[in-house]
Amino acid sequence: MNEQDTENRFEFLKGDKVLWMVILVISIFSIFPVYSASSNLEYIVNNGTTTGHVIKHMFFVVLGLSIMRVVGMVKYEYIGKLSSILLGLMIILLIVTMFTGQTIDGASASRWLKIPGTPISFQPSSFAFLMLIIYLCRYLTKKITRERLPIENIMYIFGPILLVFVLVAKDNGSTALMILMVSVIVLIIGQLHWKYIAGFISASFIAIVLFLIIALNTNLIGGNRVHTWMSRIETFTSSKAKSADVDDESVKAKNYQVMQAKAAIVHGGITGMGPGKSALKQMLPQSASDFIFAVIVEEYGVIGAAFLISMYLIMMIRIVMIASKMPAFFGSLLVLSLGVMIFIQLSVNIAVAVNLIPVTGQPLPLISYGGTSMLVTYLQLGIILNISSRIQIYDEEGLGKKQSIAEINDIA
């Protein structure tokens, strides 16, 4: 009876309970650094109030958790079947964004699309990225029965990847590269023949080089941010090459964000300065989003950062466990692919904060202030939890670890 009561008590949290708890812990924890770091937006950027920003963040947390629960009520197979339609819609929105996109908080790239008649703006690139990965997982599953013709790979695999990449790359280079990287990983996990993957990587490399040459030397690609990317890479390499005592004001000016982030991390020490007591958050650009990890280390120290990273580690372990237990190939591939998306975004954000890679605009999953990225992450985790809740159902239906072709096609 006690066991039955416990099961009913957690019935609302459908799916992997450990993953649910980790998500809830990170979501609740995110409120404190966002509240602290958003003071930068009020006093330095003169944008809103700290209370207003934290209320907005809490709203997105609650909305994201609600989305996770709603997604858990829909069969993930239906999401896969709708992915091609949703991907097409996102591609249309990306094209619209190229011509009517807006900037937010002084950003130099027009990445946001405003919903007509409302003050709400969102980034179509984040949703397009997610829909592309779901589409690839389903297509690789549906076509696992036979060797694909080269024209099929070009039209239905490489074409959509490159189209989304090109539409995103103009204004958001880091996200575009992540799209390319995750897509290749999905193709590898999805068992696409290595010769096609090698050919795609080679063709993509040549296309990127040509794009850079044209963008840097001509005006054919208007409004691109290639010069900004090159400047960030140059600043990163210069900061690595020059010693700390070299008085190069130009390098220091360009490397201001990273210098402030490193100072905040060092200032935090082992135990940190305490919640809300960051001394450098007012001097750290994008302290509530791109560089929030530095604020966390300064306020909560290495101990707090280790706790947060351990939560993310548990999340990744649970995702791998769910994928390994899922008998359906589509479900297993989709879980791993979504896990890769979250892991790469997480790694990039932390790597930027500790100056391991050049500055990019990638938020910290479930932590950084901002609506679109948070909701996409909750949607990803909602799909993963949805799939985890189906493991027991498949076991009860008698599906073994290996499926017949008919079963695979039916599930996808």
Side-chain angles (χ1 to χ4, degrees), residues 23-39 50-63 65 275-276 281 287-288 292 295-296 299-300 308 312 364-370 374 378:
I23 295 169
L24 290 173
V25 168
I26 296 177
S27 299
I28 294 172
F29 172 77
S30 70
I31 297 172
F32 301 100
V34 165
Y35 179 73
S36 175
S38 60
S39 62
T50 301
T51 302
H53 289 304
V54 76
I55 291 175
K56 181 179 178 181
H57 177 76
M58 292 172 65
F59 167 76
F60 279 116
V61 168
V62 173
L63 178 60
L65 293 172
K281 62 188 176 186
S287 59
I292 197 167
V295 175
I296 291 173
E299 295 189 348
Y300 300 92
L308 179 60
Y312 283 122
L364 190 61
L366 301 181
I367 297 286
S368 292
Y369 176 73
M374 282 188 67
Y378 279 116

Side-chain angles (χ1 to χ4, degrees), residues 16-29 61 65 68 311 315 366 377-378 381-382 385:
D16 188 275
K17 301 302 185 293
V18 175
L19 183 56
W20 258 110
M21 293 305 167
V22 169
I23 295 169
L24 290 173
V25 168
I26 296 177
S27 299
I28 294 172
F29 172 77
V61 168
L65 293 172
M68 284 175 52
M311 290 294 100
M315 178 188 292
L366 301 181
T377 302
Y378 279 116
L381 291 168
L385 287 166

